[in-house]
Amino acid sequence: MFLLWCLGFRFLGTTNKQNYMIISLIAFILVLGILVMVHELGHFGAAKFFKVKVLEFSLGFPPRITSFKRGETKYTIGAIPFGGYVSMLGENEESKDPRAYNNQSAGKRFVIGIAGVVMNLILAWVLLTVGFIVGMTPMATPSDQVPGTKVSPQVFVVEVQPNSPAEKGGLKAGDQLISGNFDGQSVKFDSAADVSNFTASHIGESVEVKVKRTGEEISNTILLSGENEAPLGIGIFDQAVVKVPWYKAPYVALRETGQILKITFSFLGNVFERLFSTGELSDHVGGPIAIFTLSGQAARAGAMTLLQFISALSINLALLNILPFPALDGGRGLFIILEKLFGKRVVKESVENAIHMVGFVLLIVFALAITYKDIVRLLK
């Protein structure tokens, strides 16, 4: 991650579009590589712990770039980086070998199945712990509720009202408000009150507002409205960089992980509710192209932003994988739970494998639909 930050810093010295693509590509490979490796290491480690024979451990999907064998396991790097897999003896076929996956107890198979999800949550927790020790802006908790030292106050835009002076002036949700300038007099924005006082003092006048977006400072000339209540037309909140003592950081990070989980779960619920009720896919859902773009933006914004991005994406990956849908970890876990409840397999192993194959195809179709939406959004 430090190497990527250095590369990003170096390339930021130019505005070359090719350099931006290089940063995005490196960040994209790094982000996906970390997420996939940690997830698959969860399955791999659990299988090895229970003495299950692992045939292959792969990062990425075929065609294979390189592979080598150590002991009984083949280690592979695939050319398609959108995932990976751990292939175990008896996973997709029946085997009489006592070390085969199909001959393990339901409890062991369930642990192996959800180990990847657990590892993604642990990854997010570890990264957020490091972030709080070093000092970072909380992602889901108000900074005044985090037990630590407020290193630097920040003010963020959370909402831009339609047809408001802010929207016409180019402000966007997520912008960090840096300062305001009127007639050569600059005011630094350390709190929401600073912003409110500045705009209230220049109602109906043209001001310059400086913001930070994806690591870059941008100046916007905005004509404030004559309304006393909302001359700028934005919703803002204070969120400082917080540095937490090392002995408190793990607990604070655990609480932050829980908050992000809660928000992400609610968001996914709204996405699927809209999808099944209207057949429409939310504009806030993104696939590989969106991750590619956001990875580049996070890398350019700095190491801490990239760390937060990986944390949030790891939690997203954990939640998506635990969904009770065929081919996902949650879908496989559901069959194991039903087996445990009924005392036997609910369906034949061959039928279950066929169901997971259909689920995999549907997931590919869904991923292609999201990718198409990403391309359209990018072109716009």
Side-chain angles (χ1 to χ4, degrees):
M1 186 178 295
F2 178 72
L3 173 61
L4 180 66
W5 184 87
C6 291
L7 287 171
F9 183 80
R10 177 185 173 189
F11 285 129
L12 280 173
T14 69
T15 57
N16 193 309
K17 202 170 186 179
Q18 185 179 6
N19 288 339
Y20 176 79
M21 293 297 291
I22 292 173
I23 296 171
S24 298
L25 181 61
I26 294 173
F28 178 67
I29 294 172
L30 178 68
V31 169
L32 275 188
I34 291 174
L35 294 177
V36 171
M37 182 177 67
V38 168
H39 184 89
E40 298 305 329
L41 277 175
H43 296 308
F44 178 78
K48 288 291 188 180
F49 179 80
F50 291 125
K51 310 297 183 184
V52 175
K53 187 174 182 178
V54 179
L55 302 176
E56 185 176 4
F57 175 87
S58 177
L59 296 179
F61 295 122
R64 294 181 175 89
I65 296 176
T66 184
S67 64
F68 65 92
K69 192 168 184 178
R70 181 168 294 175
E72 62 188 14
T73 305
K74 184 178 182 180
Y75 298 88
T76 303
I77 296 179
I80 303 175
F82 306 135
Y85 59 88
V86 173
S87 177
M88 294 169 283
L89 179 66
E91 184 180 9
N92 298 313
E93 75 287 331
E94 290 191 18
S95 173
K96 294 182 179 180
D97 191 318
R99 293 183 60 208
Y101 175 80
N102 63 294
N103 291 324
Q104 306 306 308
S105 66
K108 289 181 180 180
R109 284 185 280 121
F110 184 78
V111 171
I112 293 171
I114 67 166
V117 169
V118 173
M119 284 298 292
N120 278 126
L121 294 177
I122 291 175
L123 171 65
W125 171 66
V126 169
L127 292 180
L128 292 175
T129 298
V130 173
F132 278 120
I133 292 174
V134 175
M136 75 173 189
T137 306
M139 298 170 65
T141 307
S143 57
D144 56 6
Q145 295 180 17
V146 177
T149 305
K150 309 300 182 288
V151 178
S152 61
Q154 296 176 330
V155 186
F156 290 91
V157 178
V158 292
E159 180 186 8
V160 178
Q161 297 175 5
N163 300 316
S164 64
E167 184 182 61
K168 294 174 182 177
L171 296 189
K172 296 182 179 180
D175 286 348
Q176 179 188 343
L177 295 168
I178 303 297
S179 63
N181 188 291
F182 177 76
D183 197 23
Q185 304 251 333
S186 182
V187 176
K188 187 180 179 184
F189 295 147
D190 288 332
S191 67
D194 292 338
V195 180
S196 298
N197 292 336
F198 176 77
T199 55
S201 301
H202 302 291
I203 290 175
E205 297 177 317
S206 182
V207 299
E208 182 181 301
V209 177
K210 184 179 290 185
V211 302
K212 182 180 285 187
R213 184 184 302 157
T214 62
E216 297 180 7
E217 291 192 358
I218 304 169
S219 293
N220 303 270
T221 301
I222 301 173
L223 177 62
L224 300 178
S225 72
E227 300 177 6
N228 290 324
E229 292 186 1
L232 190 54
I234 57 174
I236 55 179
F237 79 113
D238 298 328
Q239 190 75 331
V241 173
V242 183
K243 192 171 184 179
V244 180
W246 66 267
Y247 55 90
K248 290 184 178 179
Y251 166 72
V252 174
L254 185 64
R255 191 175 64 176
E256 184 79 353
T257 302
Q259 286 294 104
I260 299 172
L261 261 173
K262 183 179 177 181
I263 294 170
T264 307
F265 183 79
S266 177
F267 170 75
L268 288 176
N270 292 332
V271 167
F272 286 113
E273 181 183 358
R274 177 177 175 180
L275 180 63
F276 292 121
S277 61
T278 66
E280 296 180 358
L281 193 60
S282 172
D283 290 334
H284 298 292
V285 175
I289 292 177
I291 294 174
F292 175 86
T293 304
L294 292 172
S295 296
Q297 292 176 353
R300 287 167 66 87
M304 193 56 65
T305 303
L306 186 61
L307 178 146
Q308 290 180 314
F309 178 65
I310 295 173
S311 301
L313 210 55
S314 192
I315 291 172
N316 271 268
L317 180 61
L319 272 181
L320 285 172
N321 265 285
I322 205 63
L323 292 176
F325 188 83
L328 295 177
D329 294 341
R332 295 180 183 275
L334 178 61
F335 278 102
I336 296 174
I337 291 173
L338 292 174
E339 177 187 338
K340 192 71 175 177
L341 289 174
F342 289 95
K344 62 178 181 179
R345 283 187 177 273
V346 178
V347 296
K348 291 182 179 179
E349 192 171 345
S350 58
V351 175
E352 181 184 335
N353 289 335
I355 292 173
H356 289 309
M357 182 57 67
V358 172
F360 181 75
V361 172
L362 290 175
L363 287 174
I364 294 297
V365 172
F366 185 64
L368 290 174
I370 294 176
T371 302
Y372 171 76
K373 203 172 184 67
D374 283 346
I375 294 173
V376 172
R377 188 186 300 128
L378 193 64
L379 291 176
K380 286 182 179 179

